[in-house]
Amino acid sequence: MVSKFKQVLNSGKFVVTSEVAPPKGTNIEKMHHHIDLLKDKVDAINITDHQSSVMRFPSIGGCLAIKERGGEPILQMTCRDRNRLALEAELLFAY
């Protein structure tokens, strides 16, 4: 199944994305609120990965929340503080 985001990218149209920062803890109500505000206005939503080098709710968890709420996620992964094995494991989980 081709994603809506991929279809927009292939169409040649102007693509609009937005970014949501996960919380520093486990209360994701505010993140859900931001997802609900954006999901019908943008082509995809990017979830930052440990923004400003601070431990936050995981990017992959934010992507799951976006999908559950009907949006199109863009997974962001930083190499900072992860070795190759950790990056590969997270990519495998995302798949």
Side-chain angles (χ1 to χ4, degrees), residues 23-68:
K24 292 181 183 177
T26 58
N27 183 352
I28 60 174
E29 293 297 319
K30 191 173 181 181
M31 184 177 72
H32 280 172
H33 175 70
H34 291 147
I35 292 167
D36 290 339
L37 287 174
L38 293 167
K39 69 180 181 185
D40 297 322
K41 296 174 179 67
V42 297
D43 297 309
I45 301 172
N46 177 54
I47 293 287
T48 59
D49 189 32
H50 302 295
Q51 185 179 27
S52 303
S53 296
V54 173
M55 192 286 300
R56 295 177 182 264
F57 191 78
S59 181
I60 196 154
C63 287
L64 289 171
I66 291 170
K67 287 189 73 75
E68 288 172 352

Side-chain angles (χ1 to χ4, degrees), residues 55-94:
M55 192 286 300
R56 295 177 182 264
F57 191 78
S59 181
I60 196 154
C63 287
L64 289 171
I66 291 170
K67 287 189 73 75
E68 288 172 352
R69 300 182 89 73
E72 185 82 26
I74 299 173
L75 174 65
Q76 183 184 93
M77 290 179 58
T78 58
C79 295
R80 178 189 62 236
D81 301 321
R82 289 188 178 107
N83 62 21
R84 191 191 81 209
L85 184 64
L87 289 167
E88 289 174 347
E90 193 156 347
L91 287 170
L92 182 61
F93 179 60

